[in-house]
Amino acid sequence: KKVNPTTGDFFTSTGTTFPSTETNREPFLVLDALKEMGEFDIFLTAISVAQLDVLPSSLLLDETASITVFAPVDDALLPEFSADWFINHPFNAELFVLNHVVNEKITYFSLFSMNGQEIEALGGKRLQITSSTTNGISVSIDDLPIVKGNIIVENGIIHSLGKPLSSRTTTTTTSTTTTTTTT
C-alpha cells in the first residue's frame, strides 16, 4: 500500500483510497470499506441479516482478522438475490456470505500465482482459482472474473465480483418437516 504523507491516507493498486489506520484514527475494516464503496448494499444486507456484523463473533469487525472477501456488487445479485430475499432467508444469508469469505489475506497477485489451486471459503465452498495473461492479467474465482481487486484494509482484502459465487440453488438450505397424524 502507498501512504499519502500529507493526510496519512493509503490507497490500493486499484486506486481506491481509504483512511490510514496509523496515527489516532479508528481502524478501517472490511465492513467499513464495503459500506464506504456504496456498491455492496445487498451483500451488506446479507451480512446484517446473518448477524455477521456483530461483535464479538464477526471477522468483518475483528481488527486482528486476516480475511479475503469476494464481494459481489449489487448489480450482480439482482434479480436472483435481493435485500428482501436475504431478510426472508436468514440462514441462507449466513451461508451465502461465508461462501464469499476466506480466512486469510490473499492479494490479487497472489491469487494470480495460485492458478489451478483451490481455497476453502468459511462456508465450506471450495473456490477454484484460474488466472490468465490473455488480454492482460486476469484472475477468476469459480470462472467468475474479479472486476476490482486489492481493496486493502486493516483486517483484510476485498475483491469485487460481477456475479455471486453461489446461486439460490446452492445457497438454499432445506429443512424437513415431519407431520404425525393420530387417529
Side-chain angles (χ1 to χ4, degrees):
K1 67 187 177 185
K2 297 178 184 177
V3 178
N4 178 325
T6 306
T7 64
D9 292 346
F10 67 89
F11 59 94
T12 68
S13 60
T14 60
T16 306
T17 305
F18 293 109
S20 169
T21 57
E22 299 165 19
T23 67
N24 293 327
R25 296 183 188 180
E26 290 292 317
F28 200 76
L29 307 174
V30 166
L31 199 57
D32 301 321
L34 290 171
K35 289 176 183 175
E36 182 79 20
M37 294 174 70
E39 57 188 348
F40 302 105
D41 293 336
I42 297 171
F43 191 63
L44 285 164
T45 297
I47 290 168
S48 179
V49 166
Q51 297 183 346
L52 295 172
D53 59 349
V54 179
L55 286 173
S57 62
S58 176
L59 286 175
L60 302 173
L61 291 172
D62 183 350
E63 295 174 28
T64 63
S66 182
I67 60 175
T68 299
V69 178
F70 298 101
V73 296
D74 288 341
D75 290 345
L77 294 172
L78 295 170
E80 186 175 17
F81 294 104
S82 65
D84 287 339
W85 188 85
F86 286 117
I87 290 167
N88 293 320
H89 299 86
F91 294 110
N92 304 102
E94 180 177 14
L95 182 60
F96 181 86
V97 172
L98 293 178
N99 277 331
H100 286 80
V101 180
V102 176
N103 199 17
E104 63 182 298
K105 286 184 182 178
I106 310 173
T107 65
Y108 187 85
F109 298 108
S110 293
L111 288 167
F112 180 81
S113 68
M114 296 168 68
N115 185 39
Q117 296 181 38
E118 284 188 344
I119 52 178
E120 186 171 349
L122 293 176
K125 182 173 176 56
R126 305 286 305 168
L127 305 174
Q128 178 72 39
I129 302 166
T130 53
S131 59
S132 172
T133 55
T134 306
N135 298 323
I137 294 174
S138 65
V139 176
S140 296
I141 307 298
D142 281 356
D143 295 323
L144 302 172
I146 293 174
V147 295
K148 188 187 299 181
N150 281 354
I151 302 160
I152 301 169
V153 293
E154 181 74 17
N155 65 338
I157 299 173
I158 302 167
H159 303 291
S160 69
L161 299 174
K163 293 192 182 270
L165 292 169
S166 301
S167 66
R168 273 196 195 179
T169 308
T170 58
T171 301
T172 304
T173 57
T174 58
S175 61
T176 307
T177 304
T178 306
T179 306
T180 308
T181 307
T182 322
T183 54

